Amino acid sequence: MNSSLILTNILNPPVLFFFLGMLAIFFKSDLEVPQPLPKLFSLYLLLAIGFKGGYELDESGINPQIALTLLAAILMACAVPVYSFFILKVKLDAYNAAAIAATYGSISAVTFITAQSFLKVLNISSDGYMVAALALMESPAIIVGIVLVRIFAPLSKEDGEEKGEFSWGEVLREAFLNGSVFLLVGSVIIGILTGERGWEKLQPFTQQIFYGALAFFLLDMGMVAARRIKDLGKTGSFLIAFSVFMPVANAILGIIIAKCIGISEGNSLLFAVLCASASYIAVPAAMRMTVPEANPSLYVSMALALTFPFNIIVGIPLYMNIIKAMGV
């Protein structure tokens, strides 16, 4: 792998702030980020990328290429949790296998944003409609994960009574109306409706402070990830290996699909990153509510303490190398 790409990614200021957050925990600094701020920055990042994506989608319009890319995104969001489930089922019960599979079938918006920043450093262009792919890939894995539990989990009498109280309305509400999905999709729609005029008005807010907010958010994420590292000891070598190798396998599959449908180099990287990332916000919230039998310390710590840092440090430049090697 080209080491200069890794170095370029690591020396990206937001990524360095992620390391700074981890070091603060390792060295037991008293650095603290007031809790309302990470939530505020998270909302800001979703609003900014959604609005920009909507504006660029309005500029480009929807052509067969874009429609095909969005369809591929939905298919991957449904397929990844299915084959991940059967791999995980070799070592885990159906509850934990489904929760982890759903986590890896969904996406991480921050990993996507970091990949956009990486492309910007390399002066490689990407299209705004990939934000629509991001929005479309967040929720299907939740539905697939719950369906897998309903099909494969053992059904005792007591479980049956509990499952009789199961509400698909609540599941669908959590999948499609949770805060992050709602804000992201809403921002895309506002960007489309307001077009050039809205873009000129909000550009100073959504663009000029974007990377400062991302750096602050990753500082907090570094601290959270460092606190979760000790939980990895509970997952065992099988799940640690899964946390690293499954994202790479998903990214390679995503790159092959990108090559088949003929999307650009920059869009191919973003698609690969979407396929490779794992959710640590929307899916854990949904799984905690709908699959309480699954252990959150497994799927949260795997996604946040291992897959997330792996993707932003090694994964993104690795996927770019694969894209270049395959001539996408």
Side-chain angles (χ1 to χ4, degrees):
M1 182 167 59
N2 187 346
S3 58
S4 66
L5 284 179
I6 294 180
L7 194 61
T8 299
N9 192 42
I10 290 177
L11 293 181
N12 198 0
V15 177
L16 288 176
F17 275 100
F18 177 82
F19 287 125
L20 186 63
M22 296 189 81
L23 290 175
I25 298 302
F26 294 151
F27 292 129
K28 299 184 178 179
S29 165
D30 61 356
L31 176 65
E32 289 288 343
V33 178
Q35 277 314 296
L37 289 180
K39 180 68 174 177
L40 176 63
F41 285 123
S42 171
L43 294 175
Y44 166 78
L45 293 171
L46 290 170
L47 185 153
I49 63 171
F51 184 75
K52 183 182 179 184
Y55 161 69
E56 294 192 3
L57 198 55
D58 177 65
E59 290 287 298
S60 64
I62 296 181
N63 55 40
Q65 176 73 76
I66 294 175
L68 196 58
T69 305
L70 299 182
L71 178 62
I74 295 173
L75 291 176
M76 278 300 287
C78 295
V80 170
V82 172
Y83 62 71
S84 297
F85 173 81
F86 289 106
I87 294 171
L88 291 160
K89 190 76 170 52
V90 174
K91 292 283 187 179
L92 301 176
D93 61 43
Y95 299 113
N96 283 303
I100 296 171
T103 300
Y104 281 80
S106 189
I107 51 87
S108 157
V110 179
T111 309
F112 178 86
I113 295 167
T114 308
Q116 284 185 316
S117 173
F118 176 74
L119 289 173
K120 194 170 185 178
V121 172
L122 296 180
N123 290 318
I124 298 175
S125 63
S126 61
D127 293 306
Y129 70 81
M130 291 306 296
V131 176
L134 165 76
L136 289 172
M137 291 181 76
E138 178 129 31
S139 298
I142 297 173
I143 307 297
V144 174
I146 293 168
V147 169
L148 290 169
V149 168
R150 300 281 287 177
I151 295 173
F152 293 98
L155 187 64
S156 66
K157 185 178 179 180
E158 184 177 343
D159 289 337
E161 290 174 357
E162 289 178 359
K163 288 181 180 180
E165 299 170 358
F166 183 86
S167 169
W168 276 105
E170 284 301 312
V171 172
L172 294 172
R173 177 182 174 80
E174 182 63 30
F176 295 105
L177 293 180
N178 73 73
S180 58
V181 175
F182 187 80
L183 177 60
L184 184 62
V185 173
S187 299
V188 170
I189 293 171
I190 291 172
I192 293 172
L193 292 176
T194 58
E196 181 71 30
R197 186 178 174 187
W199 175 251
E200 289 177 358
K201 287 184 177 178
L202 279 189
Q203 187 182 19
F205 176 69
T206 57
Q207 295 303 299
Q208 293 182 8
I209 63 172
F210 182 85
Y211 286 99
L214 177 60
F216 215 112
F217 184 76
L218 284 179
L219 171 70
D220 180 68
M221 290 302 297
M223 297 170 70
V224 174
R227 292 190 184 106
R228 285 281 181 179
I229 281 181
K230 62 181 180 183
D231 293 338
L232 288 175
K234 303 174 186 175
T235 65
S237 57
F238 173 74
L239 293 183
I240 290 174
F242 182 93
S243 306
V244 173
F245 292 114
M246 184 51 71
V248 176
N250 290 339
I252 292 172
L253 182 56
I255 292 168
I256 292 171
I257 293 172
K259 185 177 176 65
C260 290
I261 61 179
I263 60 179
S264 69
E265 185 180 57
N267 290 341
S268 296
L269 178 69
L270 295 181
F271 187 67
V273 165
L274 288 174
C275 295
S277 63
S279 171
Y280 45 81
I281 298 175
V283 173
M287 289 297 111
R288 186 167 291 186
M289 179 188 75
T290 56
V291 191
E293 299 88 349
N295 183 355
S297 69
L298 296 181
Y299 53 81
V300 174
S301 57
M302 287 170 64
L304 189 55
L306 204 51
T307 300
F308 175 67
F310 171 79
N311 273 331
I312 66 167
I313 297 167
V314 178
I316 293 172
L318 172 64
Y319 310 147
M320 178 53 80
N321 267 291
I322 296 172
I323 287 168
K324 289 182 179 296
M326 292 179 63
V328 177

